[in-house]
Amino acid sequence: MAVVEKELGMASLNGPAQWAPDQLTRIPYWLFQREDVYAREQQRIFKGDSWSYLCLEAEVPEIGDFVATRVGDQPVLVTRGHDDQIYAFENRCAHRGALLALVDRGNAKDFTCVYHAWTYSLEGDLTGVAFEGGVSGVGGMPESFCKTAHSPRKLRVTNLHGLIFGSFSNDVPAIEEYLGEEVLTRIERVLGGRKPVVIGRFTQMLPNNWKLYFENVKDSYHASILHLFFTTFELNRLSQKGGIIVSPDGGNHVSYSAIDPDAERDQHYADQNLRSESAYQLKDPSLLEGFDDFGDGVTLQILSVFPGFVLQQIQNSLAVRQILPTGTNRTELNWTYLGFDTDTPEQRRVRLKQANLIGPAGFVSMEDGCVGGFVQRGIAGAQEAASVMEMGGHDALSSASRVTEASIRGFWKAYRREMAL
């Protein structure tokens, strides 16, 4: 990233932008509403010193396979090249800017722009220009034209346990350092030594700023309050054994808990008249019957990587979530449900049944698709106000308690650093 960009401060934003230095417990609402903030995020975060999740290696298993995705606003292609390596480059013709791939995924020998038939290799190199030499010696490109100088911008790519991340930055550290040891270990816990298999997909459009959803992911404190299903069937209560891990730089986190089948039903929620008890029952209780996937008794683990990746384990339901901003008040959320190639038919059936827990209409996560919109609507006209983020203190540190907003404060710590705010 250019030095001049690194030195930009809040003065580069249009108009007043008040946010006290080093403040993590008061989050100004203008951050979720302003177009200049959104534009700055695209340059400093998504095209800056960060690793963005692109796809699963399992989605591009064969030479010529490709996935069309985005990094922030920028359309990107992920391919498996002729050398069997994975590449990522802008999904944009260098000629007039048209998309190279018009479908989400497929297999191709190369990519030819439909507009003027400029052709690109699987590795992202410009290889052909229609009528480059003109017609009958007339017209065409000048002798000085060099195809190697007109390829789409390529991303750095890294593969972590089958997760493909990309970055536009040459300065971002290796993914292992970027994650931090504890978060890396928790990814290895789920994916290490196993080959993921895609068993389902959803795309969900959220009526709110992308940061509100990422806050929600990092907010373990809300889960057993907002989600009636969690407490009714005792899948997640704040009294259960668990904790919060926040990476040293703040941007990445893990929240985890374990069900104790022998514990007495706690009264903390009922005593405070919280929305936590109901007469609802499952017509098919086998929905919640599963198996110990990882041999450690942890039944819920939510892991996030700045700026927009989530790895989720809820019971035996495994998924990755990709958070893609599409404007100041609209977010695309892609869910990819996972199994492993070693799953037995019975285990695969459990995973498919428990997929009903999450997603746009999931028994657990349906409310998450609504609450961000409630906030976006609630803060309209309140740019001078701010949220209060003091649960569990003022820091952004790991905690044995999940009654904390430390991991959300960690996100804002990383955000302030990358945005120079």
Side-chain angles (χ1 to χ4, degrees):
M1 187 179 296
V3 173
V4 66
E5 288 186 3
K6 283 283 192 183
E7 294 176 348
L8 287 175
M10 286 193 290
S12 66
L13 296 175
N14 299 322
Q18 301 300 318
W19 195 2
D22 301 321
Q23 178 60 263
L24 300 178
T25 62
R26 298 294 184 274
I27 311 304
Y29 289 141
W30 53 261
L31 286 166
F32 305 100
Q33 303 177 67
R34 291 174 52 157
E35 294 290 345
D36 56 341
V37 171
Y38 182 81
R40 186 184 180 92
E41 291 167 351
Q42 297 304 311
Q43 294 302 315
R44 294 196 64 95
I45 294 178
F46 295 101
K47 290 188 177 180
D49 297 338
S50 62
W51 285 106
S52 291
Y53 170 74
L54 301 178
C55 69
L56 294 163
E57 182 182 17
E59 295 180 277
V60 285
E62 304 294 335
I63 290 173
D65 287 346
F66 69 88
V67 170
T69 183
R70 285 190 287 119
V71 172
D73 278 344
Q74 176 62 56
V76 168
L77 276 175
V78 183
T79 67
R80 187 172 288 275
H82 293 292
D83 57 359
D84 205 30
Q85 300 301 304
I86 294 177
Y87 294 84
F89 49 91
E90 292 176 331
N91 185 7
R92 177 180 56 80
C93 181
H95 180 213
R96 299 278 288 278
L99 291 171
L100 296 177
L102 303 177
V103 295
D104 291 340
R105 52 184 48 84
N107 184 278
K109 294 181 179 179
D110 53 30
F111 298 96
T112 299
C113 178
V114 298
Y115 202 177
H116 298 93
W118 285 32
T119 300
Y120 301 82
S121 70
L122 295 174
E123 295 74 33
D125 299 318
L126 177 61
T127 57
V129 174
F131 302 114
E132 181 179 359
V135 177
S136 301
V138 179
M141 303 298 287
E143 291 185 5
S144 60
F145 179 76
C146 177
K147 286 194 286 291
T148 59
H150 294 279
S151 297
R153 185 178 177 184
K154 298 180 181 179
L155 286 73
R156 287 177 60 191
V157 173
T158 191
N159 185 341
L160 180 69
H161 297 302
L163 303 171
I164 307 300
F165 290 87
S167 179
F168 284 103
S169 171
N170 291 321
D171 299 324
V172 64
I175 190 69
E176 293 82 5
E177 180 183 349
Y178 184 86
L179 293 171
E181 183 177 353
E182 289 185 288
V183 175
L184 177 62
T185 298
R186 290 290 179 148
I187 293 178
E188 291 175 344
R189 170 186 172 270
V190 177
L191 299 176
R194 294 184 173 189
K195 184 177 180 181
V197 176
V198 176
I199 61 174
R201 293 186 180 91
F202 284 107
T203 293
Q204 182 178 6
M205 300 306 298
L206 304 176
N208 52 263
N209 188 276
W210 68 276
K211 299 186 293 296
L212 289 174
Y213 185 78
F214 211 34
E215 276 193 336
N216 178 274
V217 166
K218 291 174 175 287
D219 181 2
S220 58
Y221 161 52
H222 88 279
S224 60
I225 300 173
L226 175 66
H227 303 307
L228 186 61
F229 193 95
F230 264 157
T231 48
T232 297
F233 299 101
E234 299 193 47
L235 300 184
N236 184 11
R237 286 177 173 245
L238 291 172
S239 55
Q240 291 171 349
K241 179 182 177 181
I244 296 289
I245 298 169
V246 183
S247 63
D249 72 347
N252 314 313
H253 105 289
V254 182
S255 173
Y256 64 95
S257 63
I259 295 173
D260 181 356
D262 299 322
E264 295 183 5
R265 189 177 183 90
D266 74 75
Q267 294 298 309
H268 293 88
Y269 294 84
D271 292 346
Q272 298 185 66
N273 295 315
L274 294 177
R275 177 179 173 268
S276 62
E277 308 290 343
S278 77
Y280 292 116
Q281 295 182 346
L282 289 171
K283 188 172 183 180
D284 179 9
S286 69
L287 173 70
L288 300 181
E289 295 175 1
F291 54 96
D292 190 350
D293 238 333
F294 308 106
D296 57 8
V298 172
T299 51
L300 184 146
Q301 176 179 289
I302 304 296
L303 181 153
S304 70
V305 176
F306 184 89
F309 169 78
V310 182
L311 175 62
Q312 160 230 298
Q313 174 215 346
I314 299 178
Q315 304 291 91
N316 298 116
S317 177
L318 309 177
V320 296
R321 309 179 202 170
Q322 181 188 37
I323 304 167
L324 296 174
T326 60
T328 57
N329 60 0
R330 191 169 171 84
T331 300
E332 180 180 328
L333 177 61
N334 294 321
W335 303 75
T336 305
Y337 296 81
L338 303 180
F340 296 111
D341 64 349
T342 54
D343 285 347
T344 65
E346 292 76 19
Q347 289 173 331
R348 182 61 53 82
R349 180 173 176 80
V350 168
R351 296 197 198 282
L352 290 170
K353 289 179 71 172
Q354 292 186 2
N356 290 289
L357 295 174
I358 55 150
F363 291 132
V364 172
S365 59
M366 176 173 56
E367 297 92 343
D368 290 329
C370 302
V371 73
F374 298 162
V375 175
Q376 193 76 45
R377 289 157 59 189
I379 65 177
Q383 289 200 10
E384 303 306 316
S387 61
V388 179
M389 207 79 70
E390 295 186 16
M391 185 62 68
H394 296 76
D395 57 32
L397 301 175
S398 301
S399 169
S401 170
R402 290 177 295 131
V403 190
T404 179
E405 292 165 322
S407 52
I408 310 176
R409 291 190 290 269
F411 166 73
W412 291 110
K413 176 183 176 181
Y415 182 89
R416 294 201 74 158
R417 179 185 64 248
E418 296 306 314
M419 289 283 285
L421 291 178

